[in-house]
């Protein structure tokens, strides 16, 4: 059977109607950096801004996908529609998160109120947050009430992706050295809510105490994330977790911080996307212009100082005056 070729107008109309095929095609365009993706997002952008996005992060193996599956089940029980974007920065070719997520979310694949998509870094290294933001906007325009945004770890790429979410949920588990490392790495500054998953395992209370100790040392003592114990496979604590996330959202909204956070996130992503494209342009220009390449070599050979080279390259590529 021939593959359907979508026009821009068909994609926009399909996404507005919540058509899963149109959504899937548009997100593929985003992943492939197709020029048509930007046009579709541009047409739909005025209809965005109503979905509640929750970024879910944490070390590998703590049960994020299982917890998301349980949260999706609970949220659907409340009559809300859901989108799930699972970001896998570690596998640009195989999109390694895909199989595991499908196994854990299999119960939701036939539910028209749930749309699930895994994304790899393929085609947008350094611009992962930009691509994820576009996918999130497409789901928002499609009328999804809640969008879960999952990353596979707590590295720099994941932190950048979390920067586009309304609220961040950090998932940890007892007995995991990665969880301890996450605490040490300053990840505690990111979450609004913390879930200690696999609460029935030994060490759950010890991890809870460790988290509270780290939080007590934080210079922002007034901004303390709530902590909820869960067991995703059995569904224990999932209702309490969602209620905690929802209360945090409502508190942010009442204080005006939710809207301010959204504005700040969008502004930061505009700057980050512009910077990523400027970097690409600079790299391409250096490769194409021997005089600029000579400047870089001059720095390497300590014949030209770095800032002088930077000023010259910026002036040549971005047409900015030298200092």
């Amino acid at each position: 059977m021939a593959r359907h070729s979508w026009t821009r107008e068909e994609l926009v109309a399909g996404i507005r109607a919540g058509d899963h095929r149109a959504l899937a095609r548009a997100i593929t365009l985003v992943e492939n950096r197709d020029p048509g993706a930007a046009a579709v997002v541009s047409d739909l952008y005025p209809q965005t801004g109503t979905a509640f996005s929750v970024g879910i992060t944490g070390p590998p193996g703590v049960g994020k996908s299982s917890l998301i599956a349980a949260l999706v089940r609970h949220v659907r029980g409340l009559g809300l529609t859901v989108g799930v974007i699972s970001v896998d920065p570690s596998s640009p070719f195989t999109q390694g998160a895909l199989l595991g997520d499908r196994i854990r979310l299999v119960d939701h694949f036939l539910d028209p109120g749930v749309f699930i998509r895994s994304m790899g870094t393929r085609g947008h290294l350094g611009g992962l947050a930009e691509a994820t933001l576009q996918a999130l906007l497409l789901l928002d325009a499609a009328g999804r009430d809640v969008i879960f945004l999952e990353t596979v770890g707590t590295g720099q790429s994941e932190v950048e992706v979390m920067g586009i979410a309304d609220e961040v949920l950090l998932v940890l588990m007892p007995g995991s050295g990665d969880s301890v490392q996450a605490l040490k790495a300053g990840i505690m500054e990111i979450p609004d809510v913390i879930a200690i998953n696999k609460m029935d395992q030994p060490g759950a209370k010890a991890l809870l105490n460790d988290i509270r100790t780290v939080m007590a040392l934080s210079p922002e003592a007034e901004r303390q994330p709530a902590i909820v114990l869960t067991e995703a496979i059995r569904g224990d604590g999932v209702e309490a977790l969602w209620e905690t996330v929802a209360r945090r959202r409502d508190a942010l909204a009442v204080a005006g911080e939710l809207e301010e956070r959204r504005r700040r996130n969008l502004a930061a992503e505009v700057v980050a996307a512009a910077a990523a494209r400027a970097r690409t342009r600079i790299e391409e220009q250096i490769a194409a212009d021997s005089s600029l390449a000579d400047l870089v070599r001059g720095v390497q050979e300590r014949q030209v100082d770095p800032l002088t080279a930077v000023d010259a390259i910026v002036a040549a590529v971005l047409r900015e005056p030298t200092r």
Side-chain angles (χ1 to χ4, degrees):
M1 185 173 64
R3 183 177 181 178
H4 177 60
S5 180
W6 296 84
T7 66
R8 174 177 173 177
E9 292 74 18
E10 286 175 333
L11 277 177
V12 170
I15 290 169
R16 283 176 176 154
D19 187 315
H20 282 205
R21 295 173 304 161
L23 267 172
R25 180 57 183 159
I27 293 176
T28 296
L29 294 179
V30 164
E31 285 193 289
N32 292 337
R33 286 191 177 276
D34 189 293
V40 171
V41 173
S42 177
D43 289 346
L44 293 168
Y45 190 67
Q47 282 79 56
T48 64
T50 59
F52 171 47
S53 59
V54 182
I56 301 180
T57 190
V62 297
K64 293 187 297 294
S65 295
S66 297
L67 190 58
I68 289 173
L71 283 167
V72 169
R73 187 174 300 107
H74 178 72
V75 170
R76 287 295 290 139
L78 299 176
L80 301 174
T81 56
V82 180
V84 180
I85 303 173
S86 180
V87 180
D88 177 24
S90 65
S91 182
F93 301 108
T94 63
Q95 298 185 27
L98 185 59
L99 178 59
D101 293 337
R102 282 187 167 172
I103 291 172
R104 292 166 180 80
L105 293 165
V106 65
D107 292 343
H108 304 294
F109 266 83
L110 297 180
D111 184 347
V114 180
F115 180 89
I116 302 166
R117 180 64 177 252
S118 291
M119 295 178 62
T121 54
R122 174 174 53 88
H124 41 74
L125 285 169
L128 186 58
E130 177 187 351
T132 308
L133 173 62
Q134 288 182 303
L136 188 150
L137 291 172
L138 291 170
L139 284 168
D140 190 352
R144 299 288 133 166
D145 297 310
V146 179
I147 302 171
F148 293 113
L149 176 59
E150 178 196 10
T151 67
V152 299
T154 54
Q156 183 60 39
S157 295
E158 291 85 349
V159 170
E160 290 173 359
V161 170
M162 290 298 100
I164 67 176
D166 293 335
E167 192 171 328
V168 176
L169 168 63
L170 172 64
V171 184
L172 301 173
M173 64 169 281
S176 169
D178 287 336
S179 292
V180 175
Q181 290 303 316
L183 298 181
K184 293 179 179 178
I187 195 72
M188 298 299 295
E189 299 172 3
I190 298 173
D192 296 279
V193 179
I194 297 171
I196 298 178
N197 195 32
K198 305 183 183 181
M199 56 185 280
D200 55 341
Q201 292 191 6
K205 290 185 177 179
L207 178 57
L208 177 62
N209 291 332
D210 287 343
I211 293 172
R212 286 176 173 165
T213 299
V214 171
M215 292 195 311
L217 298 174
S218 171
E220 298 183 20
E222 72 283 354
R223 187 194 175 281
Q224 300 289 358
I227 308 172
V228 182
L229 296 170
T230 64
E231 212 309 311
I233 300 299
R234 294 198 306 265
D236 294 345
V238 172
E239 180 178 356
L241 176 60
W242 176 251
E243 289 175 351
T244 301
V245 169
R247 280 198 303 271
R248 174 65 174 161
R249 173 199 58 197
D250 294 343
L252 289 171
V254 169
E257 191 176 338
L258 181 60
E259 180 60 27
E260 177 56 30
R261 182 179 291 194
R262 288 175 172 175
R263 294 171 65 87
R264 185 171 61 246
N265 289 348
L266 287 170
E269 188 51 37
V270 167
V271 173
R277 295 187 186 189
R279 174 173 180 153
T280 299
R281 180 179 171 189
I282 289 171
E283 290 172 343
E284 291 172 347
Q285 195 67 23
I286 290 173
D289 189 328
S290 60
S291 64
L292 297 182
D294 287 342
L295 274 172
V296 175
R297 280 193 292 273
V299 173
Q300 293 170 332
E301 296 168 4
R302 300 189 182 278
Q303 296 172 351
V304 181
D305 71 273
L307 290 183
T308 295
V310 168
D311 283 344
I313 290 170
V314 169
V317 179
L318 302 182
R319 296 182 175 87
E320 289 289 331
T322 57
R323 289 179 295 174

